[in-house]
Structure formats: structure tokens, C-alpha cells
Amino acid sequence: FTIKQCGPETPSSRPNVSRFHLNSVMVASLILGHCLLLVLCAHLVPTSMPESTTVCELPGCESSIEDVGLHLLQVTSSRASSSPSKLRDESAVEAAKARFAAKLWAGRRCEDGPGDRRGGECAEELCHKCLGPGAQLVFDPSHGLSGYTSCVYHPPPPNSPYTFCGESFGDGRKEAGAQNKCECCYGSGAWLEYVRWAADGLGYTYCRRQA
């Protein structure tokens, strides 16, 4: 038979329950301390950058946040200027207009013809529409029986317009006087047509002659 010892338990005979309980309390304390530290940091660290903060990673280290945002917008616009649908820079838009106008002038046939047409209603406007604002009507009396009038190209003056006879960049069908100018150039029945994709995506309103 087995003799069981009576009396108080010795430390070596105690179960591991106390040690497990102690470890659990230590882990919980560490987690609670970590959470308190996070809460304290959240109150001490500002949630937004002050307006006077500078960003030195971009050109102009002394620039404010507003200046940096403007710089990024300018960079984005300059990169997007090569895309026809995203032309924002004024110089790029003007360059696109000049290129498109030059293509129009190169492909158009002018209203040249017999007789002296220089005094005709909107004759000069029609010549400018054909070959640009620098073009001039020239009458040659020695050509044929009644002479001959030609629209002759000359370089356009500085800051001169690109469009004539009611035409315009963008949708100009409802612009004041546009329809009247178109009819002055091409007569009654002329009409304005807007083409959305023309001029590198700027759109263009043409004056069309009645067929």
C-alpha cells in the first residue's frame, strides 16, 4: 500500500497554476501599456501639417504647402499639354490654333475670279478666311478681257485673329453675329457646323456654303 503524506504542501509540489496566472497578468499589462502609449502619441503628434511647413524635396525649398501644390499643378499641366484633350497651357493652346489655321489655309481654294472683286461685300473677309489675316486681294487688269482678282498670301501681322466669316475655335454657332458673317461670305443658305474633334480636340466651327 501507499502512504500519503499529510501536512502543508511544499513549493515543489504546488501545481503550475500560479506561474501561468503570473505570466498572463504580465502579458496583459504589456498590451495595456502599449495601447496607452499609442493614445498618448496620437494626442501629442499633430494630425495635419501646419501651413508654414516647407517641403524641401521639390524646387523652391522655402515654398509653402500652397506653393508646392501650385508647382505640382504646373508640372502636371506641362506634362499633359502634349495630349490634345488636355490642353491647359495658354501657349500650347495658341500653338494648336496656329497649326490648325495653317492647315486650313494650305488646303483651301480662294474665291479668285475674273473682274475686279476687291470691293465686293466680305470679299476681303473671304480672302482672309482662305489664306490668313495677312492675305490681300490683288487685281490684275491685264489678265483676260476684264482683268482678274486673286487672293495673295502675305505673312499675318502680329496678334492677328485666326478665324473669319463667323468661324471660331470651340462651338461658336450661337455667338452673336457669327451666322450673319458666314452668310456674308457665302450667301444666303450658308450655315455653321461645329466639329468637336477638330483642332487637336479644341473643336472648331466651320462656315459651310450651301451645296
mmCIF file of all heavy atoms in Angstrom, residues 179-191 207-210:
data_model
loop_
_atom_site.group_PDB
_atom_site.id
_atom_site.type_symbol
_atom_site.label_atom_id
_atom_site.label_comp_id
_atom_site.label_asym_id
_atom_site.label_seq_id
_atom_site.Cartn_x
_atom_site.Cartn_y
_atom_site.Cartn_z
ATOM 1 N N GLN A 179 -23.512 83.839 -87.554
ATOM 2 C CA GLN A 179 -24.288 83.370 -88.700
ATOM 3 C C GLN A 179 -24.348 84.427 -89.798
ATOM 4 O O GLN A 179 -24.243 84.117 -90.991
ATOM 5 C CB GLN A 179 -25.698 82.988 -88.242
ATOM 6 C CG GLN A 179 -26.616 82.474 -89.352
ATOM 7 C CD GLN A 179 -26.112 81.195 -89.988
ATOM 8 O OE1 GLN A 179 -25.553 80.334 -89.308
ATOM 9 N NE2 GLN A 179 -26.308 81.064 -91.294
ATOM 10 N N ASN A 180 -24.484 85.694 -89.402
ATOM 11 C CA ASN A 180 -24.533 86.773 -90.394
ATOM 12 C C ASN A 180 -23.211 86.890 -91.150
ATOM 13 O O ASN A 180 -23.198 87.133 -92.368
ATOM 14 C CB ASN A 180 -24.860 88.102 -89.712
ATOM 15 C CG ASN A 180 -26.286 88.135 -89.172
ATOM 16 O OD1 ASN A 180 -27.156 87.414 -89.665
ATOM 17 N ND2 ASN A 180 -26.520 88.965 -88.162
ATOM 18 N N LYS A 181 -22.096 86.743 -90.436
ATOM 19 C CA LYS A 181 -20.788 86.803 -91.098
ATOM 20 C C LYS A 181 -20.624 85.647 -92.074
ATOM 21 O O LYS A 181 -20.049 85.808 -93.157
ATOM 22 C CB LYS A 181 -19.681 86.781 -90.063
ATOM 23 C CG LYS A 181 -19.587 88.033 -89.208
ATOM 24 C CD LYS A 181 -18.464 87.928 -88.197
ATOM 25 C CE LYS A 181 -18.371 89.165 -87.326
ATOM 26 N NZ LYS A 181 -17.284 89.065 -86.316
ATOM 27 N N CYS A 182 -21.102 84.479 -91.677
ATOM 28 C CA CYS A 182 -21.000 83.316 -92.556
ATOM 29 C C CYS A 182 -21.805 83.537 -93.835
ATOM 30 O O CYS A 182 -21.335 83.234 -94.939
ATOM 31 C CB CYS A 182 -21.502 82.081 -91.800
ATOM 32 S SG CYS A 182 -21.428 80.539 -92.740
ATOM 33 N N GLU A 183 -23.009 84.077 -93.683
ATOM 34 C CA GLU A 183 -23.840 84.335 -94.865
ATOM 35 C C GLU A 183 -23.279 85.463 -95.720
ATOM 36 O O GLU A 183 -23.460 85.478 -96.947
ATOM 37 C CB GLU A 183 -25.256 84.666 -94.419
ATOM 38 C CG GLU A 183 -25.999 83.487 -93.793
ATOM 39 C CD GLU A 183 -27.408 83.839 -93.380
ATOM 40 O OE1 GLU A 183 -27.790 85.034 -93.537
ATOM 41 O OE2 GLU A 183 -28.134 82.943 -92.912
ATOM 42 N N CYS A 184 -22.587 86.416 -95.084
ATOM 43 C CA CYS A 184 -21.968 87.493 -95.851
ATOM 44 C C CYS A 184 -20.885 86.935 -96.769
ATOM 45 O O CYS A 184 -20.710 87.399 -97.901
ATOM 46 C CB CYS A 184 -21.380 88.532 -94.905
ATOM 47 S SG CYS A 184 -20.601 89.942 -95.730
ATOM 48 N N CYS A 185 -20.162 85.931 -96.304
ATOM 49 C CA CYS A 185 -19.089 85.348 -97.108
ATOM 50 C C CYS A 185 -19.619 84.394 -98.170
ATOM 51 O O CYS A 185 -19.125 84.371 -99.309
ATOM 52 C CB CYS A 185 -18.111 84.602 -96.197
ATOM 53 S SG CYS A 185 -17.077 85.678 -95.177
ATOM 54 N N TYR A 186 -20.621 83.588 -97.812
ATOM 55 C CA TYR A 186 -21.070 82.516 -98.720
ATOM 56 C C TYR A 186 -22.511 82.648 -99.180
ATOM 57 O O TYR A 186 -23.032 81.759 -99.848
ATOM 58 C CB TYR A 186 -20.872 81.169 -98.043
ATOM 59 C CG TYR A 186 -19.440 80.710 -98.009
ATOM 60 C CD1 TYR A 186 -18.935 80.016 -96.913
ATOM 61 C CD2 TYR A 186 -18.562 80.980 -99.062
ATOM 62 C CE1 TYR A 186 -17.619 79.587 -96.875
ATOM 63 C CE2 TYR A 186 -17.252 80.566 -99.031
ATOM 64 C CZ TYR A 186 -16.781 79.873 -97.938
ATOM 65 O OH TYR A 186 -15.473 79.465 -97.900
ATOM 66 N N GLY A 187 -23.154 83.759 -98.810
ATOM 67 C CA GLY A 187 -24.502 83.991 -99.297
ATOM 68 C C GLY A 187 -25.567 83.322 -98.438
ATOM 69 O O GLY A 187 -25.292 82.580 -97.499
ATOM 70 N N SER A 188 -26.820 83.639 -98.794
ATOM 71 C CA SER A 188 -27.954 83.081 -98.065
ATOM 72 C C SER A 188 -27.950 81.554 -98.166
ATOM 73 O O SER A 188 -27.700 80.986 -99.229
ATOM 74 C CB SER A 188 -29.264 83.646 -98.635
ATOM 75 O OG SER A 188 -30.363 83.090 -97.968
ATOM 76 N N GLY A 189 -28.227 80.910 -97.062
ATOM 77 C CA GLY A 189 -28.206 79.444 -97.037
ATOM 78 C C GLY A 189 -26.941 78.873 -96.442
ATOM 79 O O GLY A 189 -26.881 77.677 -96.139
ATOM 80 N N ALA A 190 -25.919 79.726 -96.263
ATOM 81 C CA ALA A 190 -24.692 79.246 -95.610
ATOM 82 C C ALA A 190 -25.005 78.913 -94.153
ATOM 83 O O ALA A 190 -25.887 79.507 -93.532
ATOM 84 C CB ALA A 190 -23.598 80.297 -95.705
ATOM 85 N N TRP A 191 -24.273 78.013 -93.608
ATOM 86 C CA TRP A 191 -24.570 77.564 -92.245
ATOM 87 C C TRP A 191 -23.287 77.231 -91.482
ATOM 88 O O TRP A 191 -22.239 77.003 -92.069
ATOM 89 C CB TRP A 191 -25.501 76.347 -92.259
ATOM 90 C CG TRP A 191 -25.016 75.234 -93.149
ATOM 91 C CD1 TRP A 191 -25.032 75.213 -94.505
ATOM 92 C CD2 TRP A 191 -24.429 73.994 -92.747
ATOM 93 N NE1 TRP A 191 -24.497 74.048 -94.996
ATOM 94 C CE2 TRP A 191 -24.124 73.278 -93.937
ATOM 95 C CE3 TRP A 191 -24.137 73.418 -91.518
ATOM 96 C CZ2 TRP A 191 -23.536 72.019 -93.915
ATOM 97 C CZ3 TRP A 191 -23.549 72.165 -91.495
ATOM 98 C CH2 TRP A 191 -23.261 71.480 -92.683
ATOM 99 N N CYS A 207 -17.775 77.564 -91.354
ATOM 100 C CA CYS A 207 -18.804 78.170 -92.170
ATOM 101 C C CYS A 207 -18.910 77.388 -93.475
ATOM 102 O O CYS A 207 -17.926 77.310 -94.236
ATOM 103 C CB CYS A 207 -18.481 79.644 -92.455
ATOM 104 S SG CYS A 207 -19.659 80.480 -93.551
ATOM 105 N N ARG A 208 -20.085 76.795 -93.731
ATOM 106 C CA ARG A 208 -20.253 75.923 -94.894
ATOM 107 C C ARG A 208 -21.141 76.634 -95.925
ATOM 108 O O ARG A 208 -22.145 77.254 -95.607
ATOM 109 C CB ARG A 208 -20.914 74.611 -94.481
ATOM 110 C CG ARG A 208 -20.178 73.826 -93.404
ATOM 111 C CD ARG A 208 -18.834 73.330 -93.877
ATOM 112 N NE ARG A 208 -18.283 72.329 -92.975
ATOM 113 C CZ ARG A 208 -17.051 71.833 -93.068
ATOM 114 N NH1 ARG A 208 -16.235 72.271 -94.020
ATOM 115 N NH2 ARG A 208 -16.624 70.919 -92.207
ATOM 116 N N ARG A 209 -20.731 76.492 -97.159
ATOM 117 C CA ARG A 209 -21.523 77.022 -98.275
ATOM 118 C C ARG A 209 -22.641 76.050 -98.603
ATOM 119 O O ARG A 209 -22.470 74.823 -98.549
ATOM 120 C CB ARG A 209 -20.629 77.207 -99.492
ATOM 121 C CG ARG A 209 -21.315 77.873 -100.680
ATOM 122 C CD ARG A 209 -20.516 77.638 -101.949
ATOM 123 N NE ARG A 209 -19.152 78.114 -101.823
ATOM 124 C CZ ARG A 209 -18.757 79.342 -102.150
ATOM 125 N NH1 ARG A 209 -19.632 80.203 -102.613
ATOM 126 N NH2 ARG A 209 -17.492 79.686 -102.036
ATOM 127 N N GLN A 210 -23.799 76.596 -98.933
ATOM 128 C CA GLN A 210 -24.910 75.731 -99.322
ATOM 129 C C GLN A 210 -24.587 75.006 -100.616
ATOM 130 O O GLN A 210 -24.112 75.615 -101.571
ATOM 131 C CB GLN A 210 -26.196 76.543 -99.482
ATOM 132 C CG GLN A 210 -27.434 75.701 -99.762
ATOM 133 C CD GLN A 210 -28.678 76.575 -99.900
ATOM 134 O OE1 GLN A 210 -28.582 77.722 -100.331
ATOM 135 N NE2 GLN A 210 -29.825 76.023 -99.557
#
